[in-house]
């Protein structure tokens, strides 16, 4: 091999090394992007978990708010029923008492 051939091979190797360096730089950039993406996905997962917990908490509070009027309505129905039954029973006892009083006189 003469000097010209050696120089040509050297130039070819030099170009190949530059190409490999360029590919390594691209791979390193892609790796950095993947690391950033991994961190972002991890943060997103944490945020979604937090949002899910908050949504469950809000659902519980909403359920309690929705149940309040129903509980109040049920209590009112029981009170009305008890009042009506008590009034009817009281009236019936009064009528029976008056009938017994008249029967005894």
């Amino acid at each position: 091999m003469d000097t010209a051939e050696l120089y040509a091979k050297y130039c070819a190797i030099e170009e190949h090394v530059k190409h490999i360096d360029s590919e390594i730089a691209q791979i390193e950039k892609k790796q950095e992007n993947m690391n950033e993406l991994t961190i972002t996905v991890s943060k997103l997962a944490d945020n979604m978990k937090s949002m899910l917990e908050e949504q469950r908490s809000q659902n519980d509070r909403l359920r309690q708010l929705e149940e309040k009027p129903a509980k109040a309505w049920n209590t009112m129905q029981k009170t009305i029923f008890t009042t009506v039954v008590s009034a009817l029973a009281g009236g019936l006892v009064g009528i029976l008492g008056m009938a017994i009083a008249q029967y005894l006189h």
Side-chain angles (χ1 to χ4, degrees):
M1 255 193 216
D2 65 354
T3 308
E5 290 176 339
L6 287 175
Y7 183 74
K9 282 192 175 196
Y10 171 78
C11 289
I13 290 172
E14 186 72 24
E15 285 300 313
H16 187 67
V17 168
K18 284 181 185 178
H19 177 73
I20 290 172
D21 284 344
S22 174
E23 287 181 350
I24 289 172
Q26 289 175 0
I27 290 170
E28 287 174 344
K29 183 63 179 171
K30 288 178 182 179
Q31 183 63 39
E32 287 176 23
N33 290 340
M34 285 178 30
N35 289 342
E36 290 175 7
L37 181 61
T38 301
I39 291 169
T40 301
V41 168
S42 176
K43 288 179 181 178
L44 180 62
D46 289 342
N47 287 340
M48 289 180 69
K49 181 180 177 183
S50 177
M51 288 172 30
L52 179 61
E53 290 170 1
E54 179 63 26
Q55 185 179 16
R56 285 181 179 153
S57 173
Q58 288 177 354
N59 284 344
D60 291 341
R61 291 194 310 254
L62 179 61
R63 188 174 299 112
Q64 289 173 356
L65 286 173
E66 289 174 340
E67 289 174 355
K68 262 187 174 181
K71 288 179 181 177
W73 175 249
N74 288 342
T75 302
M76 187 171 60
Q77 284 179 324
K78 288 177 186 176
T79 303
I80 291 170
F81 180 76
T82 303
T83 303
V84 168
V85 169
S86 297
L88 289 175
L92 184 60
V93 168
I95 291 171
L96 286 175
M98 288 175 50
I100 291 173
Q102 286 180 356
Y103 180 73
L104 291 177
H105 280 297

